[in-house]
Amino acid sequence: MLVVRIWNYIRGYVIIKVEGINLERFINLAIAKGIYFWDIERINYTTIRAGVGLGGYKQLRKIRKKVNCRVSILEKRGCPFLLHRVFKRKALLAGGITAVLIMYFLTSFVWVVEVEGTEKVSEERIIRELESFGLKPGAFKYFLDTGEMETKLLIEMDQLVWAGINIMGTRAVVDVVERTDPPALIDKDVPCNIVAKKDGIINNIFVYQGQAEVKEGSTVKAGQLLINGVVEEPGGSARIVHAMGRVEARTWYQMSEEQDLRPETREPTGRNSRRVSVRLGKYTINLTRKKPDFEHFDSTVNINRLVEWRNISLPVELIIENCYEVNVIEDILTEETAVRLAADRIRERLAGVLSEDAQVVDEKVKYYPADNSRIRVEVVFEALEDIGMEERIELNTGRIEVE
Amino acid sequence: METKTDLIKKGIADLLELPRDIVLDLPKITLVGSLQIYIENHRGIIEYSTGIVKINTKAGILVVTGTNLTIRTIVVEEIIIVGHIDRVEFLQ
């Protein structure tokens, strides 16, 4: 019934008052003609009130003569009347249209510039640069060449490696990625110490400048002082130098990996099928009936949303699932091969961690079953590497006499 | 009031287990508590006021009595009356 009500509202209807003696006859004649009445209400002995559609109201004229009664309109309701009233008020209409136009006009400008992804570079600096290219609050967004601005921004600012400008409505969102600089080397004439960057046992220590604080064979912890930049002179005074040297130490790395003893390889056969479904709020409707008749398959799921605006999205999604048939090939590995595979992977990982000048002198492989089908491999590496790291000496300690 | 054709029709309806309201052209009346009465297949309205509604049907005049009765919908085939319904009866 609600649908009928809404339809009537769109078409427009009137509430009428019928006055006469034989109103039942009036109603009977009207429905015989196919006029639809609703909410008929008796007001008093000679009067009824009813709702009738616009088309029906026009047809009532003939019946009115036959039955001899008076029909008058009490209320006019629905869209046609509403529109009529609105169109009669020219100023209101003009105001409405102007408001929409102004809204549209105002949304053609960039009002906010936001910068995301900055850590070291100041946002103001980027905003200032962009301003000089023309991207600032008040800029007409259809004239902005964001691609060119991105390039210009990267040229102007060395600290950035990537920039992306997205205009979302009236906001311009600038995403940047900063360059990560390698740690700066300390200048040759700036006093510094050499400290350990990781735990280890000293194998060799060559001091070019400074005073050795550890001996060969001693165990050091990360951060421990290795070569002191403060050199004590005989006679009690001290000299501060830029410590230099090579501290070679034995270091240990422990890494582990798990390896399936019966790994599966999935080989696509080339056959695939597609499943389409629509999600409405909590409900999912499958448009494609059949499930893929593959024994094994991999699938990718694409979710398409209708529109997305700010944070508001309609709860309607089109889900397309592509299923690719695969042949599953099970491989049975011997313990030996499994260990070798895992150890190879561990060595690869180690290579990523180890510094370039380090050399692996020893490795110990241990393995034990993780569960029924898996094996856990642990490798302990012993490496020889320079563990020295320069650390600036702060001169304001007051403890040191400077020549 | 039953004619010979009606008797034959009734016999056929019983024989074939057809719904009687269709074969005999009888009204189908549905009551929703005492709030609403729904009459299908009527023959026009005879009297209407807030306290009493008389409707012509093939089975006789249907009299609905109650208070605050209003005709919610009226079309050729059906009438819906809402309000507080006290009594529904047939006048032969």
Side-chain angles (χ1 to χ4, degrees):
Chain A
M1 284 323 270
L2 183 73
V3 180
V4 177
R5 296 268 144 133
I6 293 168
W7 177 239
N8 277 324
Y9 191 82
I10 294 167
R11 293 280 304 272
Y13 66 94
V14 286
I15 306 277
I16 53 167
K17 191 171 81 176
V18 190
E19 282 172 289
I21 301 295
N22 198 349
L23 294 173
E24 287 81 8
R25 195 163 117 81
F26 174 83
I27 295 169
N28 285 335
L29 282 171
I31 58 170
K33 275 192 152 263
I35 300 167
Y36 177 59
F37 277 123
W38 63 89
D39 290 345
I40 302 171
E41 223 176 306
R42 174 71 73 168
I43 297 171
N44 57 42
Y45 188 65
T46 55
T47 327
I48 56 165
R49 223 171 81 136
V52 64
L54 276 187
Y57 178 72
K58 279 173 194 156
Q59 284 179 289
L60 281 180
R61 204 182 301 159
K62 285 171 199 162
I63 302 161
R64 199 159 61 188
K65 280 174 194 159
K66 245 186 241 173
V67 190
N68 193 17
C69 56
R70 270 217 317 265
V71 177
S72 51
I73 295 174
L74 291 178
E75 272 177 68
K76 295 168 177 175
R77 289 186 189 166
C79 288
F81 297 112
L82 205 70
L83 286 176
H84 184 70
R85 244 174 294 163
V86 169
F87 278 107
K88 261 185 16 196
R89 299 176 66 177
K90 293 273 168 2
L92 182 75
L93 192 70
I97 293 169
T98 323
V100 171
L101 286 179
I102 290 172
M103 278 280 278
Y104 182 74
F105 179 68
L106 290 179
T107 51
S108 335
F109 293 97
V110 170
W111 289 121
V112 188
V113 179
E114 281 170 21
V115 181
E116 274 167 21
T118 51
E119 265 172 40
K120 285 173 284 177
V121 186
S122 77
E123 281 183 24
E124 287 88 64
R125 169 92 205 278
I126 294 171
I127 288 173
R128 263 207 317 279
E129 287 294 343
L130 289 171
E131 213 168 281
S132 69
F133 306 149
L135 180 63
K136 59 186 174 201
F140 196 63
K141 73 176 178 191
Y142 300 115
F143 292 164
L144 296 175
D145 184 354
T146 52
E148 196 196 318
M149 280 180 196
E150 285 163 12
T151 328
K152 271 167 140 184
L153 188 67
L154 293 185
I155 294 168
E156 287 298 319
M157 299 184 68
D158 287 338
Q159 302 98 308
L160 304 182
V161 278
W162 182 83
I165 302 171
N166 284 314
I167 293 176
M168 297 154 120
T170 57
R171 290 186 307 153
V173 179
V174 185
D175 277 301
V176 294
V177 176
E178 290 176 0
R179 189 185 301 281
T180 43
D181 287 322
L185 284 173
I186 298 171
D187 234 9
K188 278 272 160 61
D189 44 324
V190 174
C192 71
N193 291 328
I194 285 180
V195 297
K197 61 183 169 197
K198 53 185 78 159
D199 298 355
I201 294 175
I202 306 295
N203 194 41
N204 248 319
I205 178 160
F206 301 107
V207 179
Y208 308 142
Q209 201 165 12
Q211 192 167 306
E213 292 288 325
V214 287
K215 273 189 247 142
E216 279 163 28
S218 52
T219 313
V220 294
K221 281 214 158 69
Q224 193 180 330
L225 184 65
L226 299 177
I227 302 173
N228 204 339
V230 182
V231 183
E232 274 173 38
E233 299 277 311
S237 65
R239 196 158 55 87
I240 300 180
V241 294
H242 177 93
M244 278 194 289
R246 189 181 151 76
V247 188
E248 201 181 58
R250 280 174 198 281
T251 53
W252 284 268
Y253 295 86
Q254 186 180 13
M255 285 176 182
S256 63
E257 280 273 337
E258 277 185 13
Q259 171 64 43
D260 234 320
L261 286 174
R262 288 196 290 277
E264 284 179 349
T265 43
R266 302 170 79 87
E267 219 168 63
T269 58
R271 292 211 299 157
N272 54 19
S273 84
R274 209 164 65 147
R275 277 157 87 188
V276 182
S277 51
V278 173
R279 199 177 65 81
L280 293 166
K282 288 187 291 184
Y283 306 101
T284 312
I285 303 156
N286 286 327
L287 297 182
T288 333
R289 266 290 171 78
K290 61 176 172 76
K291 283 188 170 175
D293 49 355
F294 306 148
E295 199 185 340
H296 300 283
F297 61 87
D298 290 337
S299 61
T300 56
V301 180
N302 269 332
I303 297 172
N304 299 309
R305 291 212 173 82
L306 219 59
V307 277
E308 259 178 291
W309 181 72
R310 298 272 163 96
N311 290 329
I312 303 157
S313 61
L314 288 177
V316 182
E317 287 174 357
L318 180 69
I319 300 166
I320 299 170
E321 192 182 4
N322 282 312
C323 303
Y324 305 98
E325 193 191 20
V326 289
N327 280 335
V328 177
I329 304 159
E330 202 175 73
D331 218 358
I332 296 173
L333 297 181
T334 58
E335 214 166 58
E336 241 172 277
T337 11
V339 172
R340 205 191 61 228
L341 280 174
D344 282 347
R345 279 208 302 279
I346 294 173
R347 278 184 208 110
E348 241 167 70
R349 261 172 60 197
L350 181 79
V353 179
L354 223 52
S355 53
E356 278 167 36
D357 62 338
Q359 67 186 108
V360 178
V361 288
D362 190 20
E363 66 174 50
K364 286 194 185 79
V365 182
K366 281 193 287 187
Y367 61 88
Y368 44 88
D371 54 53
N372 285 339
S373 63
R374 299 169 77 79
I375 192 165
R376 194 178 172 79
V377 179
E378 249 180 42
V379 186
V380 178
F381 293 98
E382 193 181 322
L384 269 181
E385 62 181 313
D386 187 358
I387 59 163
M389 184 177 68
E390 291 176 335
E391 191 187 65
R392 190 188 285 265
I393 299 175
E394 299 303 331
L395 286 177
N396 53 2
T397 48
R399 183 170 58 84
I400 301 151
E401 285 174 43
V402 184
E403 266 186 339
Chain B
M1 211 175 146
E2 276 188 2
T3 60
K4 212 167 189 180
T5 43
D6 276 342
L7 277 171
I8 296 165
K9 277 184 188 172
K10 199 175 165 187
I12 293 168
D14 285 345
L15 192 72
L16 300 176
E17 292 183 357
L18 289 169
R20 283 182 176 197
D21 59 323
I22 293 167
V23 178
L24 298 176
D25 198 22
L26 291 174
K28 189 178 179 184
I29 300 160
T30 315
L31 264 171
V32 180
S34 59
L35 299 173
Q36 182 179 323
I37 186 165
Y38 176 85
I39 303 134
E40 266 179 277
N41 202 3
H42 68 93
R43 291 275 167 91
I45 189 163
I46 294 169
E47 190 190 330
Y48 165 64
S49 69
T50 48
I52 189 163
V53 184
K54 286 184 184 163
I55 296 150
N56 196 10
T57 69
K58 184 82 190 299
I61 295 165
L62 180 76
V63 183
V64 180
T65 41
T67 43
N68 294 328
L69 299 178
T70 58
I71 302 173
R72 183 76 175 275
T73 302
I74 178 164
V75 285
V76 184
E77 281 296 311
E78 60 179 58
I79 300 179
I80 299 172
I81 297 165
V82 294
H84 186 84
I85 296 158
D86 291 332
R87 218 147 37 133
V88 181
E89 60 188 324
F90 276 110
L91 287 181
Q92 291 298 333

